[in-house]
Amino acid sequence: MAFSLACIGAYVLLLGVASFVERPAGKGFNAFQLNVLIRGGGLVVGVAALVVIHGIGLPAPQLLLAGIGIGIIAGTASICYCLALDYLPVSVVVAVANLYIVVTILLGVAILHETMTPLKIASLATTLIGVLVLSYSPGRHGVQPGKPATKYKLQLRPFAILAVYVALVGISTFQGLDATQLNALQGIAMGVVASIALAVRGGSLQPTKHALEGALVGAMVGVASIFYFLGLQGLPVSIAAATSNAYMVVTILLSTLVLHEVLAWPKRIGIVLTLLGVTLLAYSGG
């Protein structure tokens, strides 16, 4: 349990830093372009880690298909996130997107028969509320929120897209592979989905120094993902998924310390609730 929590802690730190540096690195790119760069950097790290640990080879066919399938699900979710940004303000998109935790918890109870004690329920609720308060931080999957949507009006389509995102990300936490295998296979599938989405949207991406910076952010996200999957193998999925969102606290604190952004009271309350919820989750997990 301690090792798994330490791995989730490493994920929180790395992804928090990556989300912070993503802001300057992502300037000049739209959401689909940055998505490709992030996935490309993560793919390089994932494949390199796989080769170092397992050598050149493939897992059993059923595990191979499972890993690719999870990557397609997660990659499609990222595209849904990007599409929703065309219709809704960033704050609304990220707030609704973070409800994926609810799907993960419900699946953990229904499929994996996780025990839900009163303390765990209170801890998950506290963490979720804290995450929602902090929801105007960068999105979970390394996709930089763009400018506030100019076409915003109450309509069904963007919320339907977000509902698909929430369901897909919630489902994509389930796996049966080694951490490095899952990370590499998911990286391949997500990279393919991101490239197809960019091509369909008609965007182009030039191999510039600035693009390399975006890919390096993706590499950091890739390293963070390995730690997340390591932690997921020793923790209930509900605890791992909820705790991982504490990365927002790291991003906000870096913005406050480095960029001297004002730490408003809503942010302070969100930080306290998130950290309290994560601490109680660790305690409830034994």
Side-chain angles (χ1 to χ4, degrees), residues 200-252:
V200 170
R201 292 289 295 221
S204 61
L205 196 58
Q206 301 298 324
T208 63
K209 180 181 178 181
H210 189 41
L212 177 60
E213 293 173 353
L216 290 176
V217 174
M220 189 178 298
V221 173
V223 175
S225 296
I226 294 176
F227 281 108
Y228 177 77
F229 292 133
L230 284 171
L232 191 60
Q233 292 180 341
L235 288 172
V237 292
S238 56
I239 292 180
T243 305
S244 66
N245 279 273
Y247 83 88
M248 291 183 177
V249 174
V250 176
T251 303
I252 289 175

Side-chain angles (χ1 to χ4, degrees), residues 42-43 45-55 59 67 175 177-188 222-223 225-230 233:
L43 173 58
V45 169
V47 172
L50 179 64
V51 172
V52 169
I53 295 177
H54 294 282
Q175 45 83 29
L177 287 160
D178 168 84
T180 52
Q181 290 175 329
L182 178 60
N183 188 56
L185 292 174
Q186 178 174 287
I188 293 171
V223 175
S225 296
I226 294 176
F227 281 108
Y228 177 77
F229 292 133
L230 284 171
Q233 292 180 341

Side-chain angles (χ1 to χ4, degrees), residues 123 127 243 273-285:
S123 305
T127 304
T243 305
L273 289 174
T274 302
L275 293 179
L276 176 61
V278 166
T279 302
L280 292 175
L281 279 173
Y283 181 77
S284 68

Side-chain angles (χ1 to χ4, degrees), residues 18 23 31 33 57 61 87 112 126 129 147 151 156 174 181-182 202 206 239 244 246 255 261 266-267 270:
R23 296 179 181 182
Q33 291 171 327
Y87 297 93
L112 302 181
T126 302
I129 293 171
K147 298 178 180 179
K151 297 182 285 185
L156 180 60
F174 291 89
Q181 290 175 329
L182 178 60
Q206 301 298 324
I239 292 180
S244 66
S255 298
E261 292 185 1
K267 289 184 180 181

Side-chain angles (χ1 to χ4, degrees), residues 71-246:
I72 292 174
I73 291 173
T76 304
S78 291
I79 301 308
C80 290
Y81 184 95
C82 292
L83 291 173
L85 289 172
D86 286 340
Y87 297 93
L88 296 169
V90 173
S91 58
V92 175
V93 172
V94 184
V96 176
N98 276 294
L99 293 176
Y100 83 90
I101 301 174
V102 176
V103 176
T104 301
I105 294 169
L106 293 177
L107 288 175
V109 173
I111 298 177
L112 302 181
H113 307 292
E114 291 186 9
T115 303
M116 298 299 290
T117 64
L119 176 59
K120 187 174 180 180
I121 293 173
S123 305
L124 289 169
T126 302
T127 304
L128 180 59
I129 293 171
V131 167
L132 292 178
V133 172
L134 298 176
S135 62
Y136 40 76
S137 295
R140 180 179 186 277
H141 278 280
V143 179
Q144 183 192 49
K147 298 178 180 179
T150 56
K151 297 182 285 185
Y152 176 57
K153 62 181 180 178
L154 185 61
Q155 52 184 308
L156 180 60
R157 179 185 296 180
F159 287 102
I161 293 172
L162 279 176
V164 174
Y165 172 90
V166 169
L168 291 176
V169 175
I171 292 170
S172 69
T173 58
F174 291 89
Q175 45 83 29
L177 287 160
D178 168 84
T180 52
Q181 290 175 329
L182 178 60
N183 188 56
L185 292 174
Q186 178 174 287
I188 293 171
M190 292 182 75
V192 171
V193 171
S195 299
I196 293 174
L198 180 63
V200 170
R201 292 289 295 221
S204 61
L205 196 58
Q206 301 298 324
T208 63
K209 180 181 178 181
H210 189 41
L212 177 60
E213 293 173 353
L216 290 176
V217 174
M220 189 178 298
V221 173
V223 175
S225 296
I226 294 176
F227 281 108
Y228 177 77
F229 292 133
L230 284 171
L232 191 60
Q233 292 180 341
L235 288 172
V237 292
S238 56
I239 292 180
T243 305
S244 66
N245 279 273

